[in-house]
Coordinates of all heavy atoms in Angstrom, one line a residue:
G8 N -5.2 -13.8 -5.6 CA -3.9 -13.2 -5.2 C -4.2 -12.1 -4.1 O -5.3 -11.7 -3.9
I9 N -3.1 -11.7 -3.6 CA -3.2 -10.7 -2.5 C -2.6 -9.4 -3.1 O -1.6 -9.4 -3.7 CB -2.4 -11.2 -1.3 CG1 -3.0 -12.4 -0.7 CG2 -2.3 -10.1 -0.2 CD1 -2.2 -13.0 0.4
E10 N -3.2 -8.3 -2.7 CA -2.7 -7.0 -3.2 C -2.5 -6.2 -1.9 O -3.4 -6.1 -1.1 CB -3.8 -6.4 -4.1 CG -3.3 -5.0 -4.6 CD -4.4 -4.5 -5.6 OE1 -5.5 -4.3 -5.2 OE2 -4.0 -4.3 -6.8
F11 N -1.4 -5.5 -1.8 CA -1.1 -4.6 -0.7 C -1.2 -3.2 -1.2 O -0.6 -2.8 -2.2 CB 0.3 -4.9 -0.2 CG 0.8 -3.9 0.9 CD1 0.2 -3.9 2.1 CD2 1.8 -3.0 0.6 CE1 0.7 -2.9 3.1 CE2 2.3 -2.1 1.5 CZ 1.7 -2.1 2.8
I12 N -2.0 -2.4 -0.5 CA -2.2 -1.0 -0.8 C -1.8 -0.2 0.4 O -2.3 -0.4 1.5 CB -3.6 -0.7 -1.3 CG1 -3.9 -1.4 -2.6 CG2 -3.8 0.8 -1.4 CD1 -5.3 -1.3 -3.1
D13 N -0.9 0.8 0.2 CA -0.5 1.6 1.3 C -0.8 3.1 0.9 O -0.2 3.7 0.0 CB 1.0 1.5 1.5 CG 1.5 2.2 2.8 OD1 0.7 2.7 3.5 OD2 2.8 2.2 3.0
S14 N -1.9 3.6 1.5 CA -2.4 4.9 1.1 C -1.9 6.0 2.1 O -1.9 5.7 3.3 CB -4.0 4.9 1.2 OG -4.5 4.1 0.2
Y15 N -1.6 7.1 1.6 CA -1.2 8.2 2.3 C -2.2 9.3 2.2 O -2.6 9.7 1.1 CB 0.2 8.8 1.8 CG 1.3 7.8 2.0 CD1 1.4 6.7 1.3 CD2 2.3 8.1 3.0 CE1 2.5 5.8 1.5 CE2 3.4 7.2 3.2 CZ 3.4 6.0 2.4 OH 4.4 5.2 2.6
V16 N -2.7 9.7 3.4 CA -3.9 10.6 3.5 C -3.6 11.9 4.3 O -2.9 11.8 5.3 CB -5.1 9.9 4.1 CG1 -6.3 10.8 4.3 CG2 -5.4 8.6 3.3
F17 N -4.0 13.0 3.8 CA -3.9 14.3 4.5 C -5.2 15.0 4.4 O -5.8 15.1 3.3 CB -2.8 15.1 3.8 CG -2.6 16.5 4.5 CD1 -1.9 16.5 5.7 CD2 -3.1 17.6 4.0 CE1 -1.8 17.7 6.4 CE2 -2.9 18.8 4.6 CZ -2.2 18.9 5.8
N18 N -5.7 15.4 5.5 CA -7.1 16.1 5.6 C -8.1 15.2 5.0 O -9.0 15.7 4.2 CB -7.0 17.5 5.0 CG -6.4 18.5 5.9 OD1 -6.2 18.3 7.1 ND2 -6.1 19.7 5.3
K19 N -8.1 13.9 5.2 CA -9.1 13.0 4.8 C -9.1 12.7 3.2 O -10.0 12.1 2.7 CB -10.5 13.4 5.2 CG -10.7 13.4 6.7 CD -12.1 13.8 7.1 CE -12.2 13.9 8.6 NZ -13.6 14.3 9.0
A20 N -8.1 13.2 2.6 CA -7.9 13.0 1.1 C -6.7 12.2 0.8 O -5.6 12.6 1.2 CB -7.9 14.4 0.4
E21 N -6.8 11.2 0.1 CA -5.7 10.3 -0.3 C -4.9 11.1 -1.4 O -5.5 11.6 -2.4 CB -6.2 9.0 -0.9 CG -5.1 8.1 -1.3 CD -5.6 6.8 -1.8 OE1 -6.7 6.8 -2.4 OE2 -4.9 5.8 -1.7
Y22 N -3.6 11.2 -1.1 CA -2.8 12.0 -2.1 C -1.8 11.1 -2.8 O -1.3 11.4 -3.9 CB -2.1 13.2 -1.5 CG -1.1 12.9 -0.4 CD1 0.3 12.9 -0.8 CD2 -1.4 12.8 0.9 CE1 1.2 12.7 0.2 CE2 -0.5 12.5 1.9 CZ 0.8 12.5 1.5 OH 1.8 12.2 2.5
V23 N -1.4 10.0 -2.2 CA -0.5 9.1 -2.9 C -0.7 7.7 -2.4 O -1.1 7.5 -1.2 CB 1.0 9.5 -2.7 CG1 1.5 9.3 -1.3 CG2 1.9 8.8 -3.7
R24 N -0.5 6.7 -3.2 CA -0.8 5.3 -2.8 C 0.3 4.4 -3.5 O 0.7 4.5 -4.6 CB -2.1 4.9 -3.4 CG -2.4 3.4 -3.2 CD -3.7 3.0 -4.0 NE -4.9 3.6 -3.4 CZ -6.1 3.4 -3.9 NH1 -6.3 2.7 -4.9 NH2 -7.1 4.0 -3.4
F25 N 0.8 3.4 -2.7 CA 1.6 2.3 -3.2 C 0.7 1.1 -3.4 O -0.1 0.8 -2.6 CB 2.7 1.9 -2.2 CG 3.5 0.7 -2.7 CD1 4.5 0.9 -3.6 CD2 3.1 -0.6 -2.3 CE1 5.2 -0.2 -4.1 CE2 3.8 -1.7 -2.8 CZ 4.9 -1.5 -3.7
N26 N 0.8 0.5 -4.6 CA 0.0 -0.6 -4.9 C 1.0 -1.8 -5.3 O 1.7 -1.6 -6.3 CB -0.9 -0.3 -6.1 CG -1.8 -1.4 -6.5 OD1 -1.4 -2.6 -6.6 ND2 -3.1 -1.1 -6.8
S27 N 0.9 -2.9 -4.6 CA 1.9 -4.0 -4.8 C 1.7 -4.6 -6.2 O 2.7 -5.1 -6.8 CB 1.8 -5.0 -3.7 OG 0.5 -5.7 -3.8
T28 N 0.5 -4.6 -6.7 CA 0.3 -5.2 -8.1 C 1.0 -4.3 -9.1 O 1.6 -4.8 -10.1 CB -1.2 -5.2 -8.4 OG1 -1.8 -6.1 -7.4 CG2 -1.5 -5.9 -9.7
V29 N 0.9 -3.0 -9.0 CA 1.6 -2.1 -9.9 C 3.1 -2.0 -9.6 O 3.9 -1.9 -10.5 CB 0.9 -0.7 -9.8 CG1 1.6 0.3 -10.7 CG2 -0.5 -0.7 -10.2
G30 N 3.4 -2.2 -8.3 CA 4.8 -2.1 -7.9 C 5.4 -0.8 -7.8 O 6.6 -0.6 -7.8
R31 N 4.5 0.2 -7.7 CA 5.0 1.6 -7.5 C 4.0 2.5 -6.9 O 2.9 2.1 -6.7 CB 5.5 2.1 -8.9 CG 4.4 2.1 -10.0 CD 4.9 2.5 -11.3 NE 5.2 3.9 -11.4 CZ 6.4 4.4 -11.7 NH1 7.4 3.6 -11.9 NH2 6.6 5.7 -11.7
F32 N 4.4 3.7 -6.6 CA 3.5 4.7 -6.1 C 2.8 5.5 -7.2 O 3.3 5.7 -8.2 CB 4.3 5.8 -5.2 CG 4.8 5.2 -3.9 CD1 6.0 4.6 -3.8 CD2 4.0 5.3 -2.8 CE1 6.5 4.1 -2.6 CE2 4.5 4.8 -1.6 CZ 5.7 4.2 -1.5
V33 N 1.5 5.9 -6.9 CA 0.7 6.6 -7.8 C 0.2 7.9 -7.0 O -0.3 7.7 -5.9 CB -0.5 5.8 -8.4 CG1 -1.4 6.7 -9.2 CG2 0.0 4.6 -9.1
G34 N 0.4 9.0 -7.6 CA -0.1 10.3 -7.0 C -1.5 10.6 -7.5 O -1.8 10.4 -8.6
Y35 N -2.3 11.2 -6.6 CA -3.7 11.6 -6.9 C -3.9 13.1 -6.8 O -5.0 13.6 -7.1 CB -4.6 10.9 -6.0 CG -4.6 9.4 -6.2 CD1 -3.9 8.6 -5.3 CD2 -5.3 8.8 -7.3 CE1 -3.9 7.2 -5.6 CE2 -5.2 7.5 -7.5 CZ -4.5 6.7 -6.6 OH -4.5 5.3 -6.9
T36 N -2.9 13.8 -6.3 CA -3.0 15.3 -6.3 C -1.6 15.8 -6.9 O -0.7 15.0 -7.1 CB -3.2 15.8 -4.9 OG1 -2.0 15.5 -4.1 CG2 -4.4 15.3 -4.2
E37 N -1.5 17.1 -7.1 CA -0.3 17.6 -7.5 C 0.9 17.3 -6.6 O 2.0 16.9 -7.0 CB -0.4 19.2 -7.7 CG 0.9 19.8 -8.3 CD 0.7 21.3 -8.4 OE1 -0.4 21.8 -8.3 OE2 1.7 22.0 -8.7
H38 N 0.6 17.5 -5.3 CA 1.6 17.1 -4.3 C 1.9 15.6 -4.3 O 3.0 15.2 -4.1 CB 1.1 17.6 -2.9 CG 2.0 17.3 -1.7 ND1 3.2 17.9 -1.6 CD2 1.9 16.4 -0.7 CE1 3.8 17.4 -0.5 NE2 3.0 16.5 0.0
G39 N 0.8 14.8 -4.4 CA 1.0 13.4 -4.5 C 1.8 12.9 -5.6 O 2.6 12.0 -5.5
V40 N 1.6 13.5 -6.8 CA 2.4 13.1 -8.0 C 3.9 13.4 -7.8 O 4.7 12.6 -8.1 CB 1.9 13.9 -9.2 CG1 2.8 13.7 -10.4 CG2 0.5 13.4 -9.6
K41 N 4.2 14.5 -7.2 CA 5.6 14.8 -6.9 C 6.2 13.9 -5.9 O 7.3 13.4 -6.0 CB 5.7 16.3 -6.3 CG 5.4 17.3 -7.4 CD 5.5 18.7 -6.8 CE 5.2 19.8 -7.9 NZ 5.2 21.1 -7.3
N42 N 5.4 13.5 -4.8 CA 5.8 12.5 -3.9 C 6.0 11.2 -4.5 O 7.0 10.5 -4.2 CB 4.8 12.4 -2.7 CG 5.0 13.5 -1.7 OD1 5.7 13.2 -0.7 ND2 4.4 14.6 -1.9
A43 N 5.1 10.8 -5.4 CA 5.2 9.5 -6.0 C 6.4 9.4 -6.9 O 7.1 8.4 -6.9 CB 3.9 9.2 -6.9
E44 N 6.8 10.5 -7.6 CA 8.0 10.5 -8.4 C 9.2 10.3 -7.6 O 10.1 9.5 -7.9 CB 8.1 11.8 -9.2 CG 7.0 11.9 -10.3 CD 7.0 13.3 -11.0 OE1 7.8 14.2 -10.5 OE2 6.2 13.5 -11.9
A45 N 9.3 11.0 -6.4 CA 10.4 10.9 -5.5 C 10.5 9.5 -4.9 O 11.6 8.9 -4.9 CB 10.3 11.9 -4.4
L46 N 9.4 8.9 -4.5 CA 9.4 7.6 -3.9 C 9.7 6.5 -4.9 O 10.4 5.6 -4.5 CB 8.0 7.4 -3.2 CG 7.7 8.2 -2.0 CD1 6.2 8.1 -1.6 CD2 8.6 7.9 -0.8
N47 N 9.2 6.7 -6.1 CA 9.4 5.6 -7.1 C 10.9 5.6 -7.6 O 11.4 4.6 -8.1 CB 8.5 5.9 -8.3 CG 7.1 5.5 -8.0 OD1 6.8 4.6 -7.2 ND2 6.2 6.2 -8.7
S48 N 11.6 6.7 -7.3 CA 13.0 6.8 -7.7 C 13.9 6.2 -6.6 O 15.1 6.1 -6.8 CB 13.5 8.2 -8.0 OG 13.4 9.0 -6.9
D49 N 13.3 5.8 -5.5 CA 14.1 5.3 -4.4 C 13.9 3.8 -4.3 O 12.9 3.3 -3.8 CB 13.6 5.9 -3.1 CG 14.4 5.5 -1.9 OD1 15.0 4.5 -1.9 OD2 14.4 6.3 -0.9
A50 N 14.8 3.0 -4.9 CA 14.7 1.5 -5.0 C 14.5 0.9 -3.6 O 13.8 -0.1 -3.4 CB 15.8 0.9 -5.7
G51 N 15.2 1.5 -2.6 CA 15.2 0.9 -1.2 C 13.8 1.1 -0.6 O 13.3 0.2 0.0
Y52 N 13.2 2.2 -0.9 CA 11.8 2.5 -0.3 C 10.8 1.6 -1.0 O 9.9 1.0 -0.4 CB 11.5 3.9 -0.4 CG 10.4 4.4 0.5 CD1 10.7 4.7 1.8 CD2 9.1 4.4 0.2 CE1 9.7 5.1 2.8 CE2 8.1 4.7 1.1 CZ 8.4 5.1 2.4 OH 7.5 5.4 3.3
L53 N 10.9 1.4 -2.3 CA 10.0 0.6 -3.1 C 10.2 -0.9 -2.6 O 9.2 -1.6 -2.4 CB 10.3 0.6 -4.6 CG 9.8 1.8 -5.3 CD1 10.3 1.7 -6.8 CD2 8.3 1.9 -5.3
G54 N 11.4 -1.3 -2.3 CA 11.6 -2.6 -1.8 C 11.0 -2.8 -0.4 O 10.4 -3.9 -0.2
Q55 N 11.0 -1.8 0.4 CA 10.4 -1.9 1.7 C 8.9 -2.1 1.6 O 8.3 -2.9 2.3 CB 10.7 -0.7 2.6 CG 12.1 -0.5 3.1 CD 12.3 0.8 3.8 OE1 11.4 1.4 4.2 NE2 13.6 1.2 3.9
E56 N 8.3 -1.4 0.7 CA 6.9 -1.5 0.4 C 6.5 -2.9 -0.1 O 5.6 -3.6 0.4 CB 6.4 -0.5 -0.5 CG 6.4 0.9 0.0 CD 5.3 1.2 1.0 OE1 4.3 0.5 1.0 OE2 5.5 2.1 1.9
Q57 N 7.3 -3.5 -1.0 CA 7.1 -4.8 -1.5 C 7.2 -5.9 -0.4 O 6.4 -6.8 -0.4 CB 8.0 -5.1 -2.7 CG 7.7 -4.4 -4.0 CD 6.5 -4.9 -4.7 OE1 5.7 -5.7 -4.2 NE2 6.3 -4.3 -5.9
V58 N 8.1 -5.7 0.5 CA 8.3 -6.6 1.6 C 7.1 -6.7 2.5 O 6.8 -7.7 3.0 CB 9.6 -6.2 2.4 CG1 9.6 -7.0 3.7 CG2 10.8 -6.5 1.6
Q59 N 6.3 -5.6 2.5 CA 5.1 -5.6 3.4 C 4.1 -6.7 2.9 O 3.4 -7.3 3.7 CB 4.4 -4.2 3.3 CG 5.2 -3.1 4.0 CD 5.4 -3.3 5.5 OE1 4.5 -3.9 6.1 NE2 6.4 -2.8 6.0
L60 N 4.1 -6.9 1.6 CA 3.2 -7.9 1.0 C 3.5 -9.3 1.6 O 2.6 -10.0 2.1 CB 3.3 -8.0 -0.5 CG 2.4 -9.0 -1.2 CD1 1.0 -8.8 -1.0 CD2 2.8 -9.1 -2.7
E61 N 4.8 -9.6 1.7 CA 5.2 -10.9 2.2 C 5.1 -10.9 3.8 O 4.5 -11.9 4.3 CB 6.7 -11.2 1.8 CG 6.9 -11.3 0.4 CD 6.2 -12.5 -0.2 OE1 6.1 -13.5 0.4 OE2 5.8 -12.4 -1.4
S62 N 5.6 -9.9 4.4 CA 5.7 -9.9 5.9 C 4.4 -9.6 6.6 O 4.2 -10.1 7.7 CB 6.8 -9.0 6.4 OG 6.5 -7.7 6.1
Y63 N 3.6 -8.8 6.0 CA 2.3 -8.5 6.7 C 1.1 -9.2 6.1 O 0.4 -9.9 6.8 CB 2.1 -7.0 6.7 CG 0.9 -6.5 7.4 CD1 0.8 -6.5 8.8 CD2 -0.3 -6.2 6.7 CE1 -0.3 -6.1 9.5 CE2 -1.5 -5.9 7.4 CZ -1.5 -5.8 8.7 OH -2.6 -5.5 9.4
C64 N 0.9 -9.0 4.8 CA -0.3 -9.6 4.2 C -0.3 -11.1 4.2 O -1.2 -11.7 4.7 CB -0.4 -9.1 2.8 SG -0.6 -7.3 2.6
K65 N 0.7 -11.7 3.7 CA 0.7 -13.1 3.6 C 0.9 -13.8 4.9 O 0.4 -14.9 5.1 CB 1.8 -13.6 2.6 CG 1.5 -13.2 1.2 CD 2.5 -13.7 0.2 CE 2.1 -13.3 -1.2 NZ 3.1 -13.7 -2.2
H66 N 1.5 -13.1 5.9 CA 1.6 -13.6 7.2 C 0.3 -13.7 7.9 O 0.0 -14.5 8.7 CB 2.6 -12.7 8.0 CG 2.8 -13.1 9.4 ND1 3.5 -14.3 9.8 CD2 2.3 -12.6 10.6 CE1 3.5 -14.4 11.1 NE2 2.8 -13.4 11.6
N67 N -0.6 -12.7 7.6 CA -1.9 -12.6 8.3 C -3.1 -13.0 7.5 O -4.2 -13.0 8.1 CB -2.1 -11.1 8.8 CG -1.1 -10.7 9.9 OD1 -1.1 -11.3 10.9 ND2 -0.3 -9.7 9.6
V68 N -2.9 -13.5 6.3 CA -4.1 -13.8 5.4 C -5.0 -14.8 6.0 O -6.2 -14.7 6.0 CB -3.6 -14.2 4.0 CG1 -2.9 -15.5 4.0 CG2 -4.8 -14.1 3.1
D69 N -4.5 -15.9 6.7 CA -5.3 -16.9 7.2 C -6.2 -16.4 8.4 O -7.4 -16.7 8.5 CB -4.5 -18.1 7.7 CG -3.8 -18.9 6.6 OD1 -4.4 -18.8 5.5 OD2 -2.8 -19.5 6.8
I70 N -5.6 -15.5 9.2 CA -6.4 -14.9 10.3 C -7.5 -14.0 9.7 O -8.7 -14.1 10.2 CB -5.5 -14.0 11.1 CG1 -4.4 -14.9 11.8 CG2 -6.2 -13.2 12.2 CD1 -3.2 -14.1 12.4
Y71 N -7.2 -13.2 8.7 CA -8.3 -12.4 8.1 C -9.4 -13.2 7.4 O -10.6 -12.9 7.6 CB -7.7 -11.4 7.1 CG -6.8 -10.3 7.8 CD1 -5.6 -10.0 7.2 CD2 -7.2 -9.7 9.0 CE1 -4.8 -9.0 7.8 CE2 -6.4 -8.8 9.5 CZ -5.2 -8.4 8.9 OH -4.4 -7.5 9.5
Y72 N -9.0 -14.2 6.6 CA -10.0 -15.0 6.0 C -10.9 -15.7 6.9 O -12.1 -15.8 6.8 CB -9.3 -16.1 5.1 CG -8.8 -15.5 3.7 CD1 -7.8 -16.1 3.0 CD2 -9.5 -14.4 3.1 CE1 -7.4 -15.6 1.8 CE2 -9.0 -13.9 1.9 CZ -8.0 -14.5 1.2 OH -7.6 -14.1 0.0
S73 N -10.3 -16.3 8.0 CA -11.1 -17.0 9.0 C -12.1 -16.0 9.7 O -13.2 -16.4 10.0 CB -10.3 -17.8 10.0 OG -9.6 -16.9 10.8
A74 N -11.6 -14.8 10.0 CA -12.5 -13.8 10.6 C -13.6 -13.4 9.7 O -14.8 -13.3 10.2 CB -11.7 -12.6 11.0
I75 N -13.4 -13.3 8.4 CA -14.4 -12.9 7.5 C -15.4 -14.1 7.2 O -16.6 -13.9 7.3 CB -13.8 -12.5 6.1 CG1 -13.0 -11.2 6.4 CG2 -14.8 -12.3 5.1 CD1 -12.1 -10.8 5.2
L76 N -14.8 -15.3 7.0 CA -15.6 -16.4 6.7 C -16.5 -16.9 7.8 O -17.6 -17.4 7.6 CB -14.8 -17.6 6.1 CG -14.0 -17.3 4.8 CD1 -13.1 -18.4 4.5 CD2 -15.0 -17.0 3.7
D77 N -16.0 -16.7 9.1 CA -16.8 -17.0 10.2 C -18.0 -16.2 10.4 O -19.0 -16.5 11.1 CB -16.0 -16.9 11.5 CG -14.9 -18.0 11.6 OD1 -15.0 -19.0 10.8 OD2 -14.0 -17.9 12.4
K78 N -18.1 -15.0 9.8 CA -19.2 -14.1 9.9 C -20.2 -14.1 8.7 O -21.2 -13.5 8.7 CB -18.7 -12.6 10.0 CG -17.8 -12.4 11.3 CD -17.5 -11.0 11.5 CE -16.6 -10.7 12.7 NZ -16.4 -11.6 13.7
T79 N -19.9 -15.0 7.7 CA -20.8 -15.1 6.6 C -21.7 -16.3 6.7 O -21.5 -17.2 7.4 CB -20.0 -15.1 5.3 OG1 -19.1 -16.2 5.3 CG2 -19.2 -13.8 5.0

């Protein structure tokens, strides 16, 4: 399967991440937890993130696989 991860980073530290397998945001710092709570309560924003799996990942998977497999 394909998993889409959208990480938010500040000063080289990841503070919140969307994971398509989990289907929600997870915070890694105090600020990130607060952001995750807010983002997870917004069904429209969650839906936009889930759409990325279809529109970006699945759309480009063949290109990525061929680029990787051609180098092995």
Side-chain angles (χ1 to χ4, degrees):
I9 298 172
E10 182 176 60
F11 172 69
I12 294 176
D13 190 6
S14 295
Y15 293 71
V16 177
F17 181 74
N18 282 347
K19 300 182 183 179
E21 181 179 31
Y22 67 95
V23 69
R24 171 192 295 180
F25 176 82
N26 181 317
S27 66
T28 301
V29 177
R31 55 188 290 118
F32 288 88
V33 177
Y35 295 101
T36 65
E37 183 179 347
H38 179 68
V40 170
K41 290 178 183 177
N42 277 267
E44 290 172 0
L46 292 166
N47 287 330
S48 68
D49 186 336
Y52 203 83
L53 282 176
Q55 289 176 18
E56 290 287 335
Q57 288 286 10
V58 166
Q59 294 293 330
L60 177 65
E61 298 294 328
S62 65
Y63 182 77
C64 296
K65 291 183 179 178
H66 178 74
N67 290 301
V68 70
D69 291 336
I70 296 166
Y71 292 139
Y72 280 154
S73 67
I75 293 167
L76 295 175
D77 288 347
K78 295 187 181 347
T79 58

